[in-house]
Amino acid sequence: MSGIIKDNEGRSSGLVKSTTVTAYDDDKVQSNIALLGFKTAVNGSLAKYNLQDQIIDEYEDNSGIDTGNSTNDYLSGGVYYGATTGTPTRTATNAETPIVDGDYTVYKWHSTGSYSANASETDVEWLVVAAGGSGGASNHGGGGGAGGLRTSYGSTSGGGASAESDLSLGSGTTYTITVGAGVTNDSGGVSSITGSDIDNITTVGGGAGGRHGVSLGSVGGSGGGGGYTDGAAGTAEEGYAGGDGGGSARYGGGGGGGASAVGTDGSGSAAGVGGAGLAVSITGSSVTYAGGGGGSMYLSGTPGAGGAGGGGAGSIGEGAAGTANTGGGGGGSERSGTDGSAFANAGGLGGSGIVILRVSTDATISGSDLTLQSTDTTASTANPDYADMVCLIEDAEGTATLNTDIKGYISEDSGVTFTEGTFVDEGSWGTNKKIIAFHDLDISAQSGSSMCYKITTHNQSAGSKETKIHATSIGWKA
């Protein structure tokens, strides 16, 4: 810039003054506008929207993405990352051979083991049944209570409680599966699913039936039936209570509680029947679990039948064990036989528990390289010369090297031609989260007005490098 220099009286001196004006750098302004746009999109739950020669996309949905020209583009919770759909690699130690039931695969454990997969799995349905309690052994022992039953499958859980939530299991996390066992003269062992990123699921073993010297049935998943001399019913935690004992000598023991019904009371002529278990179709067919054990009689009368779902029958003699891997309660036993011979002072053993997981056969497997191309936006003036891009990214696993593990491109001819920009780190917006951008990218060699962008990720691998894209803005000018 130049001008004429004048003296104090306004006379020209004939000299010319020259000045230089520094060009204004608007890069920070462009980035701040993009960040404000992201904030507005989040607050308004907006999908992709347009400003004057600028677009903002917070990925509330995929309406701003050209899915036909994008690959491995997985959108979850407003975040894009590279993933594919397929059958994950799963490890299930000590499990039975999995059952494929259409779109689902079922894993069953009859003993303690573990489970893991190389993909995050949501809506995992489960059933956890503890071991049943043992039947009582006395002149009229009570039936053992069924093991506690909890499930997310179907409309009800044990004890008539509301259904529980499905599990979300993390990629690479190992979950411990514990299966309870029956114990002589005692409540059954607990069963559980535990892991570092879930609320642990534990079920209570069934209560033992009342026996000689211990008339009261035990507290348990389902309560043990009352036994010898006016034995009272056991109390339930994840099932139903056991029945009362029949009273004085030669009366029947109460039936153990089941997952869907109480055990019935004993009387002078008949022992209590075990409470019914709960039918669950998590394996693809209906199976009844956690039936209570039947009570025993002294010398004469009718012993109690075991409840549906693996409950052992009571006996004038030794009670039957609960069925293995159902959590059924053991049947009550008489202490001495009709011929005067003595039986072991133990009732029927409670049936062992079971743990079942029902997962989608195919799942989303992260760790794939992503190509994310936007839909077109028409520029107000054709053939813009320069473009900017601002992205919010997250290093979910590992650290992405800019322009190697993540790259950005701009096109003004609907993706026929792309020009790559050079990303720089412009700061953080949270833990492992960065603002990356490039400005004034020269796109003058292109021709058109159909503006779009493309972002690609590279060297992605589940558990070691996973780069997620939370938001993108591009702008352009002549």
Side-chain angles (χ1 to χ4, degrees):
M1 178 178 180
S2 63
I4 303 298
I5 300 176
K6 297 182 179 181
D7 62 19
N8 291 337
E9 296 180 3
R11 294 188 295 269
S12 172
S13 65
L15 300 175
V16 178
K17 176 176 68 178
S18 296
T19 60
T20 301
V21 177
T22 302
Y24 177 65
D25 184 354
D26 65 351
D27 289 356
K28 290 184 179 179
V29 173
Q30 293 296 330
S31 292
N32 287 336
I33 289 172
L35 294 174
L36 288 171
F38 295 150
K39 182 70 71 175
T40 300
V42 170
N43 290 340
S45 297
L46 301 174
K48 175 201 170 187
Y49 68 100
N50 301 336
L51 300 175
Q52 181 69 33
D53 287 335
Q54 185 173 3
I55 61 173
I56 304 284
D57 199 340
E58 265 276 350
Y59 305 134
E60 291 292 321
D61 57 29
N62 70 347
S63 61
I65 298 302
D66 181 352
T67 56
N69 283 312
S70 299
T71 57
N72 300 332
D73 46 314
Y74 183 73
L75 176 63
S76 177
V79 180
Y80 267 106
Y81 58 97
T84 57
T85 299
T87 303
T89 300
R90 296 177 168 119
T91 302
T93 62
N94 290 338
E96 286 194 332
T97 301
I99 302 167
V100 178
D101 177 25
D103 292 334
Y104 298 93
T105 299
V106 177
Y107 292 85
K108 296 194 294 184
W109 284 265
H110 292 166
S111 60
T112 296
S114 65
Y115 177 83
S116 64
N118 69 333
S120 296
E121 300 179 292
T122 59
D123 301 324
V124 176
E125 295 170 300
W126 51 270
L127 170 71
V128 180
V129 182
S134 65
S138 67
N139 289 351
H140 35 82
L149 185 152
R150 295 174 60 186
T151 184
S152 70
Y153 186 88
S155 60
T156 59
S157 185
S162 298
E164 303 193 51
S165 299
D166 294 341
L167 288 172
S168 292
L169 305 182
S171 173
T173 303
T174 298
Y175 301 90
T176 299
I177 309 296
T178 301
V179 177
V183 180
T184 301
N185 279 341
D186 206 346
S187 299
V190 302
S191 294
S192 63
I193 304 171
T194 60
S196 60
D197 58 359
I198 63 171
D199 291 331
N200 296 336
I201 299 167
T202 301
T203 52
V204 180
R211 63 184 188 276
H212 185 72
V214 186
S215 297
L216 180 65
S218 299
V219 172
S222 287
Y228 183 79
T229 311
D230 298 320
T235 303
E237 295 188 19
E238 294 156 358
Y240 285 84
D244 289 338
S248 59
R250 305 193 183 195
Y251 280 20
S260 65
V262 298
T264 63
D265 298 340
S267 68
S269 59
V273 174
L278 186 70
V280 184
S281 300
I282 190 171
T283 60
S285 58
S286 180
V287 178
T288 303
Y289 302 92
S296 70
M297 288 295 295
Y298 177 68
L299 297 182
S300 62
T302 304
S315 173
I316 301 176
E318 292 188 89
T323 303
N325 306 123
T326 65
S333 297
E334 186 203 8
R335 191 179 181 197
S336 58
T338 55
D339 61 357
S341 61
F343 292 106
N345 192 11
L349 198 65
S352 55
I354 190 169
V355 173
I356 298 175
L357 292 179
R358 185 175 188 255
V359 300
S360 295
T361 299
D362 289 335
T364 301
I365 306 171
S366 60
S368 299
D369 292 340
L370 165 72
T371 297
L372 189 68
Q373 183 170 324
S374 72
T375 55
D376 295 340
T377 299
T378 302
S380 59
T381 302
N383 305 318
D385 294 325
Y386 300 96
D388 302 275
M389 178 184 284
V390 181
C391 294
L392 302 184
I393 71 166
E394 176 186 359
D395 288 319
E397 298 284 352
T399 301
T401 300
L402 300 186
N403 309 304
T404 298
D405 298 324
I406 181 168
K407 300 179 181 181
Y409 306 81
I410 303 291
S411 173
E412 62 182 57
D413 57 11
S414 189
V416 175
T417 307
F418 277 105
T419 302
E420 182 180 357
T422 301
F423 279 129
V424 295
D425 187 340
E426 292 195 342
S428 64
W429 60 285
T431 303
N432 298 327
K433 296 176 179 178
K434 298 175 183 176
I435 305 166
I436 64 173
F438 56 75
H439 299 281
D440 297 323
L441 174 67
D442 187 348
I443 57 173
S444 59
Q446 299 184 38
S447 177
S449 58
S450 297
M451 307 301 298
C452 66
Y453 67 81
K454 181 172 69 174
I455 299 170
T456 60
T457 61
H458 308 267
N459 308 309
Q460 303 292 291
S461 178
S464 61
K465 184 169 290 183
E466 187 172 65
T467 309
K468 296 185 175 182
I469 318 298
H470 285 253
T472 302
S473 172
I474 65 168
W476 52 89
K477 58 190 176 183

